[in-house]
Amino acid sequence: MKLSMYIIKRLLLMALVMLGVSVIVFFIAHVIPADPVGALLGGNAPPQLVDQMKHQLGLDKPLWQQFEIYMVGLAHGDFGISLKSNRPVIQDIGEYFPATLELAIFSIIFSIILGVILGIVSAVHRNSWLDHFSRIFSILGVSMPVFWTGLILLLIFYYLLGWLPGTGQLSLFTIPPDHITGMVIFDSILTGNWQAAWDGLRHIILPSIVLGYAATASIARITRASMLDVLRQDFIRTAKAKGLSKRIVIYRHALRNSLIPVITVIGLTFGSLLEGAVLTETIFGWPGLGRYIVNALLVLDYPAIMGGTFFIALAYSLANLAVDLTYAALDPRMRT
């Protein structure tokens, strides 16, 4: 199959997935036995005011009409008006998403560096204590809940040792940088606000470790398995027979050929980091999209819940699409 046809096929499949996500998100939000108008106005609001607000928000219409309005809005990039902020949801997402993206970027950098190193060391020193340590580290990473890891790190490094700040992106008295990308550390560097850059780096260390721990474990396991498979190949034995040093055999021949599945996992992991930031942002008071959705859930802000969920699903699908297209470009056999 030609690459262009493969791209069209993947785009159509992605459109079907997003259609399914939008349908599921809408109906789950509307079958919840709760009253968003009551949550917005309070329990003592006059019935006339409640009816007026329901009519204004379109909640007095039949469900199928609400769904039609919702889908037409999505087709035009309109996620509705947030009941809490009274602003377009897409505008709120544009304000909160850069913080989530910044956290995901630092988390994936942490995961790649530590995960690849652990995977290489574990494969080269198979069945040694380094290998056992790496495997235990990986099992803990994929099995421990994010909220538990976050609370433990906060207890140790913020409360007991006082080495790192606890919550937020910047300290209270730090002057924030001018808005360029919406990402505090990148904006601080671009504007030369080094005090804010250093403060932002200290604030992002703990949440990026918590968010990236599970991803580190997955990358380490894939790297180890891929390295072990490559180290058994004939060309590796040939390289050793030619008298090449162990370092050259590992880093020039084995690692290079074992990175393709690792790169695929890294791409998919980055998409999952965007959706998995909800708990991490809540624990660390990080002003990102995950925390925005949680706050919307607490006040039954339907447009914000549906818009935020749809946007995260879209970001994850785009990350998957980028990985698939890259893989298909590198290996034509994947297009079949």
Side-chain angles (χ1 to χ4, degrees):
M1 183 184 297
K2 292 182 179 179
L3 184 59
S4 58
M5 291 300 298
Y6 181 78
I7 293 174
I8 294 173
K9 179 183 175 184
R10 291 291 294 117
L11 288 174
L12 291 174
L13 287 174
M14 179 180 160
L16 283 176
V17 170
M18 295 314 302
L19 177 62
V21 169
S22 59
V23 172
I24 292 172
V25 168
F26 176 85
F27 282 102
I28 287 181
H30 284 75
V31 297
I32 297 174
D35 181 11
V37 176
L40 183 66
L41 298 178
N44 298 322
Q48 297 84 358
L49 182 59
V50 173
D51 293 339
Q52 181 183 351
M53 182 62 74
K54 284 186 177 179
H55 179 71
Q56 182 181 342
L57 298 175
L59 296 176
D60 57 344
K61 292 183 171 59
L63 192 61
W64 68 270
Q65 282 191 5
Q66 295 182 44
F67 180 67
E68 182 182 4
I69 295 171
Y70 168 69
M71 293 303 294
V72 171
L74 277 186
H76 292 83
D78 180 10
F79 293 168
I81 304 296
S82 168
L83 303 182
K84 182 180 180 183
S85 66
N86 202 28
R87 298 189 305 176
V89 173
I90 191 68
Q91 186 178 342
D92 285 347
I93 291 174
E95 181 178 321
Y96 285 95
F97 182 66
T100 297
L101 182 61
E102 185 176 45
L103 179 57
I105 290 173
F106 277 86
S107 299
I108 197 67
I109 291 173
F110 165 77
S111 303
I112 292 172
I113 294 174
L114 188 57
V116 171
I117 291 175
L118 281 176
I120 294 173
V121 171
S122 181
V124 173
H125 301 281
R126 186 184 182 189
N127 292 328
S128 67
W129 69 269
L130 286 171
D131 186 23
H132 296 318
F133 169 78
S134 173
R135 292 162 71 178
I136 293 173
F137 179 86
S138 301
I139 293 172
L140 289 176
V142 297
S143 59
M144 285 198 303
V146 170
F147 70 88
W148 188 84
T149 309
L151 292 176
I152 291 297
L153 291 184
L154 275 176
L155 175 67
I156 296 174
F157 292 101
Y158 170 65
Y159 183 73
L160 296 178
L161 300 177
W163 290 354
L164 293 170
T167 59
Q169 283 183 294
L170 292 173
S171 300
L172 183 61
F173 298 106
T174 300
I175 300 174
D178 295 333
H179 187 282
I180 298 177
T181 64
M183 294 184 279
V184 168
I185 297 175
F186 291 102
D187 287 352
S188 301
I189 295 173
L190 291 175
T191 57
N193 188 345
W194 302 113
Q195 182 186 4
W198 172 245
D199 196 37
L201 281 172
R202 295 183 72 241
H203 276 79
I204 206 170
I205 289 176
L206 287 182
S208 60
I209 290 175
V210 171
L211 184 61
Y213 186 18
T216 302
S218 300
I219 293 172
R221 294 175 66 184
I222 295 297
T223 304
R224 178 184 183 275
S226 182
M227 279 287 291
L228 287 176
D229 184 53
V230 172
L231 287 173
R232 298 190 190 99
Q233 301 294 320
D234 291 338
F235 73 93
I236 294 296
R237 283 192 284 270
T238 303
K240 290 179 180 177
K242 289 169 62 179
L244 296 178
S245 67
K246 185 177 181 180
R247 179 183 297 272
I248 292 178
V249 171
I250 292 173
Y251 292 102
R252 183 176 296 178
H253 296 278
L255 180 60
R256 182 180 298 177
N257 288 281
S258 63
L259 280 182
I260 289 181
V262 179
I263 291 172
T264 304
V265 171
I266 290 172
L268 297 176
T269 301
F270 184 71
S272 66
L273 290 179
L274 293 174
E275 64 170 332
V278 175
L279 283 177
T280 306
E281 290 179 0
T282 304
I283 294 170
F284 288 94
W286 195 261
L289 190 56
R291 192 179 173 199
Y292 172 73
I293 295 175
V294 171
N295 290 334
L297 282 169
L298 295 177
V299 297
L300 300 176
D301 189 350
Y302 282 178
I305 296 170
M306 293 187 295
T309 307
F310 181 85
F311 186 84
I312 286 181
L314 179 63
Y316 184 76
S317 298
L318 287 174
N320 281 350
L321 178 65
V323 171
D324 287 348
L325 295 183
T326 304
Y327 211 62
L330 294 175
D331 188 356
R333 293 174 299 177
M334 298 301 298
R335 305 173 195 172
T336 57

